[in-house]
Amino acid sequence: MHHREHAAAIAERLAREETGALGVALVGSVAAGTDHPDSDIDLIVAAATDPGVRVTHVEGRMATLTRKTPADLAAAFSDPAQAPAAVPAWRSARILTDPGGHLAAVQARALAWTWEQVGAGADDWAAGQLVGLAE
């Protein structure tokens, strides 16, 4: 089995096993199709409880499961520190389970996202980062 198909099969299995999930999406290099045999498997789990990150090893692959509430997932698009990573991750995400449509809504928001949604907050954040680096 090709490493990408192997990673996708592991992701599918982990998604089915994730308790309390409102939805599970595969993101990162496996979802984008840029992975290699040693790439980890990145899963986002929308859940109402137990936010956090869990790392596990399955069949020789590292898998990272990040649990966030739907509100926290949506908030990333208006945060200038998170948006540059969240937008491309969600644009290439592969939704594995999503019975309530929570993750489809997050992905649709990513596909429609523009910098105007962050607004002046991006300039303020960048200025603060530059000042911090200069000190």
Side-chain angles (χ1 to χ4, degrees), residues 12-34:
E12 294 275 354
R13 188 171 81 237
L14 289 171
R16 285 190 304 272
E17 295 171 357
E18 193 62 25
T19 58
L22 301 171
V24 180
L26 176 64
V27 296
S29 62
V30 175
T34 59

Side-chain angles (χ1 to χ4, degrees), residues 38-123:
D38 296 321
S39 293
D40 66 332
I41 301 165
D42 299 299
L43 295 169
I44 302 292
V45 180
T49 60
D50 303 322
V53 176
R54 179 171 61 97
V55 177
T56 187
H57 289 82
V58 180
E59 298 177 29
R61 301 293 293 262
M62 184 173 80
T64 304
L65 293 91
T66 303
R67 290 176 69 97
K68 293 186 175 190
T69 66
D72 287 341
L73 292 172
F77 298 115
S78 57
D79 180 348
Q82 294 183 59
V87 170
W90 279 104
R91 285 181 173 171
S92 65
R94 181 173 154 200
I95 297 173
L96 303 175
T97 63
D98 191 26
H102 298 285
L103 298 183
V106 171
Q107 190 168 48
R109 188 164 177 189
L111 292 169
W113 186 88
T114 65
W115 276 107
E116 286 76 27
Q117 294 177 24
V118 178
D123 294 338

